Amino acid sequence: MSAYIKRAVLAMQGYMPGEQPADPGVIKLNTNENPYPPSPAVRKVLQGIQAETLRLYPDPLGRALRRKIAELHKCSSDSVFVGNGADEILALCTRAFVENEGAIGFFEPSYSLYPVLAQIRGVRSLPVALGPDFEWAMPASYRANLFLMTTPNAPTGIQYPKAKIRAFCARLRGVVVLDEAYVDFAREHCLDLALARPNVLALRTLSKSYALAGLRLGYAVGSPALIAALFKIKDSYNVNRLTQAAALAALGDQTYMRKLVERIKKTRNWTATELKRLGFCVFPSETNFLWVRPPRLKAHELFSRLRARNILVRHFPGKRTQDYLRITIGTPDQMRALLSAVRIISKKDCFP
Amino acid sequence: MSAYIKRAVLAMQGYMPGEQPADPGVIKLNTNENPYPPSPAVRKVLQGIQAETLRLYPDPLGRALRRKIAELHKCSSDSVFVGNGADEILALCTRAFVENEGAIGFFEPSYSLYPVLAQIRGVRSLPVALGPDFEWAMPASYRANLFLMTTPNAPTGIQYPKAKIRAFCARLRGVVVLDEAYVDFAREHCLDLALARPNVLALRTLSKSYALAGLRLGYAVGSPALIAALFKIKDSYNVNRLTQAAALAALGDQTYMRKLVERIKKTRNWTATELKRLGFCVFPSETNFLWVRPPRLKAHELFSRLRARNILVRHFPGKRTQDYLRITIGTPDQMRALLSAVRIISKKDCFP
C-alpha cells in the first residue's frame, strides 16, 4: 500500500501537538492557551451571526479583516495576509520561498513544528543551536533560503535583542519569518522590520493574547511581494466566515486584549518569583509561559507527578530540552494549585 | 525582490475563484452555492456556543466529527479525514501522494483548480481531454501518480459511468481522488470504491448539499493508510472549533439535507426544460448546476448581458469551455428571473 505514498511522508513522524484532554477537571498549562475568555465582542458577533449567510463562500481575500489589521499596524492591506492559524502561514512560507534544493533554518530549541515543516516540504533543515543559556548564537557564515524564528522564542520564553535580529535580516539572502505569536506579552516587537525590509514577514496570531486558539486566525505582515506570493498558493477560501467575523470583532477590542495581557504578565511575574523561591531555575519570560528547570527532581518526573495530580504542563524530550518544563501562565488560582502541588511533590521527594 | 520567491510561484497565476459580489441585489448563480439556508440545527448550535471555549485549541484529530462521518458511511473513523474545505484535502493529496518527479492527472475540462494545484506542488500536469460531448475518454496507456476526478464532473454536470471509474481505479498505479462535491445531487456515488480499494479516496464537502460553503468543511473517506498520510502532513489544528461543532450538527440532520437536494433537483429539471425550449443545448446534470450552450449569442456575450442585469453566472474562457455557461440552480424565483432575462436579451438580439 505504501507504494501510493510519497517516500518522505512515509518516513516521517508528523508533528505531535500538546495533549487536549477531554476531562474539564484538568488544570491545563501545556499549550499556552489564554486562561481568560475572549472579548465580549466575540460572543456578541457570534450570537448575531445569521446562519443563512453560511450558505455563501467567505470572502477569499478576507478584505474587511485585512483592512482592520492594516489599520492597527499603520500599513497597507497589500502588506497583510490572513490564514487558518499562523501554522497555515508557516507552511505556505515553506512552499513560497524555498526551491526544492533549498534549506529551511530555525533555532534549536524552538517551535518543534519547524523541522516537521521542512520534512513535509521535502527540503533540508539547517538548525542553529542556541547558546548554553538559550541565547542568540548565529554563525557568521550561516545561509538558508528561509529562516523561521519564534521571537520571543518558545519554549524558552526569551526575547532576542532586536539589533541582532535586524542585522541578521539585513545579512541573510533569504526570507526571515519572525513568528511573533507571543509578542503581545513582550517589551518590543519587530513589525517595523517586516514593513521596512523586502525579505521579512512578521507573523501574529489570535491564539494567545486574544484568547482565540479555537478560532484559528493568524496573519502575516510584510512586503507586498512576499504577501502576493502567499496569496497565489493558498487554498481559495482558507479563512471561513465565522472566523473572519469573530477575528474582526476581537481585533476591534484592543483595550480588552491589553487588559488580559497585563493580568497574565502580573501572574507570570509572581509565579516566577514563587518558583525561584522553591529552587527552580526560571528563565526571564517575555511570553505567557515560563521555561523552568526544577530542583532535585528530573523534569519528566515532575511532569508525571503533576500529571497524576491533574495538572498538565509541557515536557519536550530531546537533549537540549529534557531537563526543563514549559508552564503556561493560567489564572492566579491555577498557579496557586500548581505551586501547592509542587511543594507537596518536593516534600515527598525530600522525605520519602 | 523576486529573488526571495520560488521561481515556479513567481511564474504562476494562482486560482481565480468565482466572483463574490458585495451587492446583495445580485442574483448569484456563479459558484454553485445552495440557495437555501443550512439546517436549523446549525443555527441552534452556533447560538449555543460558549465563546469562552474558543480560548482552547480545537481537537486536532476532529474525533467527534469523524465518528459521525464514519457512522454515516458505515466505516471506521480511521478511514475518515476532515479538512478546512475539500480544497485543503486536494492540496494535501498533491503533497502526500506525488514525488517531485511525479505527475498529477485530471480531465479537461474539470475543476480549474487542479492544474493550479500541480503548479503549486511543482510537478507535471497530465490532463486528459474529455470526448466531444464531455464524455469519459481515457487512453489505455495513461499513467499518473495522482488523478483528481470530479464526479459528477464540474463544470459539465455529467456523471461518469461507475464501471469506467472502477476499472480505471483498478488499473492506475497511483492514487485516484474522486471529488464527489456534487454527488448528493446524483443517482449514485463511489464511496464503496474508496472503502474497498487501497488507492482511492472519496471527497465530500458541506459546501453544496448542506448549504455551508462559508463554514469550510470537507472530508475524505478511504483506506486508513492514505488517511494516515494526510494526517501526518496537515496543519496541526486545521479545522476550528466552530466549524467542527456546526458540521457535526449539519451532518446530524440528513433529512433536512435530503429535502434541500430534492427541491434543487426539481428546480434543476424544470429550468433545464425551459432553457431547452429557448433553444439552449443543456447537458444532463447530476449536480446543482446546468452546463449549457446558448443559441445565437456567444456565451461570453450572454454572460455580460446577464451581468448587466445583475444576474451572475459563470463563464470559463478557454477552447473547450468558452462556448458554454455554467448556471447554478437557485430558488424557483431566481430561475424565473434568469429565464425572463434570457428571453428579453434573446428578443433584443433577434430584433435589434
Side-chain angles (χ1 to χ4, degrees), chain A residues 206-227:
Chain A
L206 268 58
S207 296
K208 317 294 182 188
S209 53
Y210 291 90
L212 284 168
L215 191 65
R216 313 311 299 130
L217 197 283
Y219 63 88
V221 175
S223 88
L226 300 184
I227 296 293

Side-chain angles (χ1 to χ4, degrees), chain A residues 7 54 57 96 99 208 214, chain B residues 6-7 54 57 99 208 214:
Chain A
R7 288 183 298 273
L54 290 178
Y57 281 102
E99 301 287 348
K208 317 294 182 188
Chain B
K6 192 175 174 233
R7 290 184 297 274
L54 290 177
Y57 281 101
E99 302 288 348
K208 317 295 181 187

Side-chain angles (χ1 to χ4, degrees), chain B residues 21-308:
Chain B
D23 178 0
V26 171
I27 296 182
K28 195 169 175 308
L29 308 174
N30 70 328
T31 52
N32 297 343
E33 287 142 335
N34 198 308
Y36 301 108
S39 160
V42 171
R43 192 178 57 233
K44 211 170 151 188
V45 90
L46 288 178
Q47 279 172 350
I49 287 276
Q50 304 294 313
E52 62 264 32
T53 61
L54 290 177
R55 71 175 189 82
L56 297 171
Y57 281 101
D59 178 0
L61 303 175
R63 280 168 294 194
L65 190 50
R66 285 165 56 226
R67 269 196 302 272
K68 181 62 172 181
I69 294 165
E71 180 196 311
L72 272 177
H73 297 308
K74 301 183 176 51
C75 65
S76 146
S77 282
D78 293 347
S79 292
V80 179
F81 180 88
V82 291
N84 186 34
D87 279 356
E88 185 199 18
I89 308 180
L90 287 167
L92 287 171
C93 289
T94 69
R95 302 200 280 278
F97 307 131
V98 190
E99 302 288 348
N100 291 348
E101 321 72 50
I104 298 176
F106 43 83
F107 283 124
E108 220 171 46
S110 181
Y111 189 11
S112 53
L113 177 69
Y114 296 155
V116 179
L117 288 176
Q119 282 184 304
I120 293 173
R121 176 66 185 83
V123 299
R124 273 174 308 145
S125 278
L126 289 176
V128 175
L130 289 171
D133 290 320
F134 304 109
E135 74 280 13
W136 180 279
M138 180 68 75
S141 62
Y142 183 82
R143 296 176 68 164
N145 306 89
L146 172 66
F147 196 91
L148 305 172
M149 188 189 303
T150 311
T151 172
N153 194 25
T156 66
I158 299 168
Q159 188 163 45
Y160 305 116
K162 190 164 173 180
K164 299 253 187 203
I165 297 176
R166 184 186 292 114
F168 176 66
C169 292
R171 185 178 70 66
L172 194 79
R173 292 175 61 176
V175 173
V176 182
V177 172
L178 303 172
D179 184 348
E180 299 197 319
Y182 300 101
V183 87
D184 290 323
F185 303 98
R187 276 164 311 180
E188 57 178 4
H189 63 76
C190 291
L191 223 114
D192 49 325
L193 273 183
L195 287 170
R197 291 210 45 90
N199 67 326
V200 180
L201 288 177
L203 252 57
R204 298 285 179 92
T205 175
L206 268 58
S207 296
K208 317 295 181 187
S209 53
Y210 291 90
L212 284 169
L215 191 66
R216 313 311 300 129
L217 197 283
Y219 63 90
V221 175
S223 89
L226 300 184
I227 296 294
L230 297 179
F231 268 106
K232 275 191 187 176
I233 63 166
K234 80 178 182 79
D235 291 333
S236 317
Y237 302 101
N238 61 329
V239 183
N240 72 84
R241 274 184 176 260
L242 300 171
T243 298
Q244 290 195 30
L248 192 61
L251 289 164
D253 194 355
Q254 292 291 307
T255 313
Y256 182 86
M257 183 274 274
R258 293 279 156 216
K259 211 168 62 185
L260 289 197
V261 164
E262 287 314 311
R263 207 182 290 175
I264 289 165
K265 279 161 72 175
K266 204 174 143 190
T267 313
R268 173 186 80 193
N269 298 344
W270 171 76
T271 308
T273 307
E274 292 300 308
L275 284 170
K276 281 180 200 160
R277 230 175 248 171
L278 291 169
F280 282 65
C281 166
V282 181
F283 286 79
S285 168
E286 300 275 335
T287 62
N288 70 337
F289 58 83
L290 292 173
W291 181 240
V292 304
R293 196 176 60 229
R296 296 176 295 275
L297 272 182
K298 293 267 189 203
H300 70 88
E301 183 67 31
L302 179 55
F303 168 85
S304 303
R305 297 213 197 166
L306 286 169
R307 186 80 187 82

Side-chain angles (χ1 to χ4, degrees), chain A residues 157-171:
Chain A
I158 299 168
Q159 188 164 44
Y160 306 116
K162 191 164 172 180
K164 300 253 188 203
I165 297 176
R166 185 186 289 113
F168 176 65
C169 292
R171 185 177 72 65

Side-chain angles (χ1 to χ4, degrees), chain A residues 92-345:
Chain A
L92 287 171
C93 288
T94 70
R95 303 200 280 276
F97 307 131
V98 190
E99 301 287 348
N100 291 349
E101 321 73 49
I104 297 176
F106 44 83
F107 283 124
E108 219 170 46
S110 181
Y111 189 11
S112 53
L113 177 69
Y114 296 155
V116 179
L117 288 177
Q119 283 184 305
I120 293 173
R121 177 65 184 85
V123 298
R124 273 175 308 144
S125 278
L126 289 176
V128 175
L130 288 171
D133 290 321
F134 305 109
E135 74 279 14
W136 181 279
M138 180 68 75
S141 63
Y142 184 82
R143 295 176 69 164
N145 305 90
L146 172 65
F147 196 92
L148 305 173
M149 187 189 304
T150 310
T151 173
N153 193 25
T156 67
I158 299 168
Q159 188 164 44
Y160 306 116
K162 191 164 172 180
K164 300 253 188 203
I165 297 176
R166 185 186 289 113
F168 176 65
C169 292
R171 185 177 72 65
L172 194 80
R173 292 174 63 176
V175 173
V176 182
V177 172
L178 302 172
D179 184 348
E180 299 197 319
Y182 300 100
V183 87
D184 290 323
F185 303 97
R187 278 165 309 183
E188 57 177 4
H189 63 75
C190 291
L191 223 115
D192 50 324
L193 274 182
L195 287 170
R197 290 209 46 90
N199 67 326
V200 181
L201 289 177
L203 251 58
R204 298 285 179 92
T205 175
L206 268 58
S207 296
K208 317 294 182 188
S209 53
Y210 291 90
L212 284 168
L215 191 65
R216 313 311 299 130
L217 197 283
Y219 63 88
V221 175
S223 88
L226 300 184
I227 296 293
L230 297 179
F231 268 106
K232 274 189 187 177
I233 62 166
K234 81 179 181 78
D235 291 334
S236 317
Y237 302 100
N238 60 329
V239 183
N240 71 86
R241 274 184 175 259
L242 299 171
T243 298
Q244 291 195 30
L248 192 60
L251 289 164
D253 194 354
Q254 291 291 308
T255 313
Y256 181 86
M257 184 274 275
R258 292 279 157 216
K259 211 169 62 186
L260 289 197
V261 164
E262 286 314 311
R263 205 180 292 176
I264 289 165
K265 279 161 71 176
K266 206 175 142 189
T267 312
R268 174 186 77 194
N269 298 344
W270 171 77
T271 308
T273 307
E274 292 300 308
L275 284 171
K276 280 179 200 161
R277 229 175 251 173
L278 291 170
F280 281 66
C281 166
V282 181
F283 285 79
S285 168
E286 300 274 334
T287 62
N288 69 337
F289 58 84
L290 292 173
W291 181 240
V292 305
R293 197 178 58 229
R296 296 175 297 273
L297 273 182
K298 293 267 188 203
H300 71 87
E301 184 65 31
L302 179 55
F303 168 85
S304 302
R305 297 213 197 166
L306 287 170
R307 186 80 186 82
R309 290 171 175 275
N310 264 349
I311 298 176
L312 198 51
V313 300
R314 193 83 180 262
H315 178 250
F316 297 92
K319 199 164 154 268
R320 283 304 298 275
T321 50
Q322 65 192 4
D323 295 335
Y324 303 83
L325 293 179
R326 194 191 68 184
I327 303 173
T328 303
I329 301 302
T331 62
D333 275 355
Q334 290 177 318
M335 301 327 276
R336 270 190 286 271
L338 168 83
L339 289 163
S340 141
V342 167
R343 278 188 203 102
I344 292 167
I345 293 166

